[in-house]
Amino acid sequence: MKNFGIFDVIGPVMIGPSSSHTAGAARIALVARRIAGVGYHHVDFFLHGSFAATYKGHGTDKALVGGILGFEPSDLRIKNSFFHAKEAGITYNFIPVNLEDVHPNTVKIEFHYPDGSCFYVIGSSIGGGNIEITNINGTSVIFTAENPTLLFRYKEQKGMIAYISNALYSKGHNIDLMRTIKEDDEVLLIVELNESLDSELYESIQNGKTFLFSKYIYVPISKIGKSND
Amino acid sequence: MYHSAKQLLELCEKQKKPIYQVVIEEESKSSGSAPEMIFSQMKEILSVMKQSSQSTLNKKVPSLSGMMGGDAQQVNKYQKDGKTLLGVIPNKAMAMALSTAEVNASMGKIVAAPTAGSSGILPAVLMTLEESLHLNEEDLIHALLVASGIGRVIGQNATFSGAEGGCQVECGSAAAMAAGAAVFASGGNNEQIFHAASIVLINIMGLVCDPIAGLVEFPCILRNASGAINALSAADLALAGVKSLIPFDEVVKAMYKVGKALPESLRETGLGGIAGTPTGCAIRNSLLKND
């Protein structure tokens, strides 16, 4: 395991009973909410494998609803998340499905907005509260949100990667990992950093070019209870 | 950086520093966080541990499925009445281990140490040490760091996942970490710390992961109580001078091999062992019906 440290042994601080079925589920939903953006009034949770088989017994359902409400995996409100969702006017369904060849603890979270549009994120809980986001609205991706992560989608064009790298470099950022996923004439760029990004730099990158979609996601697991939701 | 008990002990020897200090300095180097920052995170962790270990000592809190709850309260009352076989200290330790495990099973706040299913063992042992050795917060954090160092060695050379290695890698690892912490807090030397950790793993090797209905409730909650006792007894054995003939690093590798050799039905699938008994299956079926 990369950088296996003492907080991977002692931690995370979390709401029980299972790091993969409860804490990991809450984190997938929290990350999905950050990717999708708020304003949804209904969410469908499509549960696969072990998630589908034991979601009630492990409180996976409450953890997922907590996550889409913006609760961290250590937030005691997770236990009563159904009540909080009702207060917030958000409805939800849990639908066991077979998503075929994916990790046993996988969920597809589909956000529905009042204008009739929807947006989905698929993620897997891979153990110890660690997660992987594997699909954003039909585009296969792979990232953990453990590191500060930038997502950009744009029409294929020359110089975009250089533009983003230069902007990051100019403020002293180290790029840990950069990955592009091409689909037709659109590109999804994933950039993982080793230090968190200030919002000013993110906005200036965002404003300098035309993006179809851009997000900055950072939901670390090993740091305790520091929410920026 | 250390990847084995041998390397950790060599670093302590070379730098003439106690284990907790080497653990915190190595963590600081690899993560980039200042030692003070690590120390304050440990302080926060300790406070969650303390809270969870006390939470259900005097009240019954049902688990998510409803099949468990109330054991911590019963054992706590039993030890207070004073007519126990083992004595007050081990019974109090079992009650505290059950408390955290019950908090976990009822969607309360715990620290995975190393996992949620085994989260009761380390808090129970630390709080026992606090009470019987009159430790202050700093002493407890040092003991927690010793436990973390032991756990890091296990995590790097084996696994903490019950689905991969059975209960021995969850409750066994937690108890090995707690035993080392207990020896350290009692003034034992570095060799004794690892003898205790080895003795724990040797005595629990092969323990299967067989939760009823696949839920972190039964027998998981009970195994936290026995894990705390395993830790305290191994610590006493090591402090008395009993040694493990097999070095800790070899014991960890053996445990990992044993885990790999376990059939899938005994690795968190809820199919074999206790879960596979007629009564275990009947409980699972009735839970599924209620869904």
Side-chain angles (χ1 to χ4, degrees):
Chain A
M1 193 185 278
K2 188 186 102 176
N3 273 339
F4 187 80
I6 56 176
F7 295 106
D8 294 306
V9 180
I10 311 256
V13 173
M14 55 169 274
I15 301 303
S18 161
S19 56
S20 52
H21 289 78
T22 323
R27 245 180 110 234
I28 293 172
L30 183 58
V31 172
R33 165 195 161 97
R34 301 251 172 97
I35 298 169
V38 293
Y40 40 84
H41 68 289
H42 178 82
V43 181
D44 285 324
F45 298 99
F46 297 93
L47 305 165
H48 170 89
S50 175
F51 269 7
T54 63
Y55 72 96
K56 281 188 188 170
H58 280 126
T60 308
D61 46 1
K62 291 176 179 170
L64 287 168
V65 169
I68 60 124
L69 293 172
F71 302 167
E72 296 273 336
S74 61
D75 194 323
L76 279 168
R77 289 177 295 178
I78 283 181
K79 190 173 181 177
N80 298 312
S81 64
F82 293 174
F83 166 78
H84 294 288
K86 201 171 175 188
E87 295 266 283
I90 294 173
T91 56
Y92 47 83
N93 286 319
F94 300 100
I95 307 153
V97 290
N98 184 354
L99 296 171
E100 303 294 338
D101 193 19
V102 294
H103 187 279
N105 291 328
T106 296
V107 57
K108 174 181 175 185
I109 305 177
E110 197 172 78
F111 298 89
H112 293 263
Y113 295 84
D115 64 1
S117 66
C118 66
F119 189 100
Y120 71 83
V121 174
I122 300 177
S124 303
S125 177
I126 57 172
N130 294 291
I131 65 157
E132 268 175 10
I133 299 298
T134 57
N135 195 303
I136 299 176
N137 232 16
T139 304
S140 293
V141 296
I142 189 127
F143 69 96
T144 65
E146 179 68 19
N147 300 314
T149 305
L150 285 158
L151 304 172
F152 298 102
R153 182 190 276 284
Y154 49 88
K155 290 267 181 218
E156 194 169 0
Q157 57 191 279
K158 283 205 176 109
M160 192 59 108
I161 292 176
Y163 162 74
I164 291 167
S165 324
N166 282 333
L168 291 168
Y169 172 70
S170 72
K171 298 284 180 201
H173 276 287
N174 234 341
I175 295 175
D176 253 11
L177 184 149
M178 195 175 235
R179 187 184 281 137
T180 55
I181 296 145
K182 281 189 197 176
E183 268 178 13
D184 300 327
D185 63 339
E186 285 182 16
V187 179
L188 180 75
L189 176 70
I190 303 172
V191 186
E192 289 190 24
L193 307 172
N194 59 6
E195 274 176 4
S196 57
L197 191 69
D198 64 66
S199 55
E200 217 172 291
L201 176 58
Y202 173 59
E203 270 161 37
S204 90
I205 294 174
Q206 223 183 349
N207 295 335
K209 295 269 183 188
T210 308
F211 295 102
L212 302 167
F213 170 90
S214 75
K215 283 285 166 188
Y216 171 60
I217 313 283
Y218 182 32
V219 186
I221 181 178
S222 38
K223 321 291 176 280
I224 299 158
K226 299 279 177 284
S227 171
N228 54 353
D229 195 67
Chain B
M1 190 40 115
Y2 57 95
H3 301 286
S4 63
K6 188 163 173 270
Q7 287 172 351
L8 178 55
L9 292 175
E10 278 168 5
L11 283 174
C12 296
E13 179 90 3
K14 214 165 71 190
Q15 301 175 2
K16 304 258 175 291
K17 287 175 185 164
I19 290 187
Y20 70 82
Q21 205 173 338
V22 172
V23 167
I24 203 166
E25 285 174 7
E26 292 297 318
E27 178 69 15
S28 175
K29 266 192 241 164
S30 73
S31 70
S33 309
E36 303 75 47
M37 183 76 184
I38 297 168
F39 198 86
S40 80
Q41 285 192 5
M42 281 294 172
K43 204 167 154 174
E44 211 172 320
I45 281 173
L46 187 67
S47 100
V48 177
M49 284 185 163
K50 185 167 193 166
Q51 219 166 11
S52 66
S53 72
Q54 312 295 313
S55 189
T56 71
L57 289 181
N58 297 306
K59 64 177 178 201
K60 179 176 175 169
V61 179
S63 65
L64 207 49
S65 78
M67 78 170 112
M68 294 294 282
D71 290 338
Q73 186 189 15
Q74 291 202 76
V75 176
N76 192 41
K77 187 176 175 303
Y78 174 72
Q79 66 84 15
K80 272 188 184 159
D81 292 346
K83 284 185 229 147
T84 68
L85 292 172
L86 281 171
V88 169
I89 292 173
N91 274 282
K92 185 86 191 287
M94 288 196 287
M96 291 192 288
L98 292 167
S99 171
T100 298
E102 287 174 1
V103 168
N104 181 57
S106 62
M107 296 198 86
K109 194 191 281 194
I110 54 97
V111 183
T115 61
S118 61
S119 60
I121 295 166
L122 195 49
V125 170
L126 289 173
M127 296 314 135
T128 301
L129 298 172
E130 180 185 33
E131 214 173 300
S132 38
L133 302 175
H134 309 290
L135 301 186
N136 62 28
E137 191 181 50
E138 195 180 344
D139 298 332
L140 286 170
I141 290 172
H142 289 167
L144 193 50
L145 286 163
V146 171
S148 313
I150 296 168
R152 197 173 164 273
V153 169
I154 300 174
Q156 286 204 313
N157 294 286
T159 174
F160 295 135
S161 157
E164 217 183 324
C167 189
Q168 53 163 8
V169 305
E170 296 206 27
C171 288
S173 300
M177 289 157 59
V183 170
F184 165 79
S186 305
N189 63 34
N190 288 356
E191 282 68 34
Q192 287 173 316
I193 288 172
F194 279 98
H195 282 308
S198 299
I199 292 169
V200 164
L201 295 184
I202 289 167
N203 287 344
I204 207 175
M205 197 167 293
L207 187 65
V208 302
C209 178
D210 51 355
I212 291 180
L215 305 179
V216 193
E217 298 194 17
F218 191 93
C220 319
I221 292 175
L222 292 182
R223 288 193 181 145
N224 277 270
S226 72
I229 298 305
N230 189 359
L232 290 169
S233 66
D236 262 341
L237 288 173
L239 286 165
V242 175
K243 291 181 175 144
S244 164
L245 291 181
I246 313 301
F248 184 71
D249 293 321
E250 289 183 39
V251 174
V252 169
K253 284 185 180 141
M255 174 177 74
Y256 191 40
K257 274 191 189 167
V258 168
K260 292 270 183 206
L262 288 175
E264 202 177 294
S265 64
L266 301 176
R267 286 187 277 113
E268 214 184 329
T269 49
L271 297 173
I274 287 302
T277 58
T279 305
C281 293
I283 295 174
R284 181 189 62 211
N285 292 340
S286 82
L287 286 176
L288 288 177
K289 226 177 278 163
N290 292 339
D291 272 5

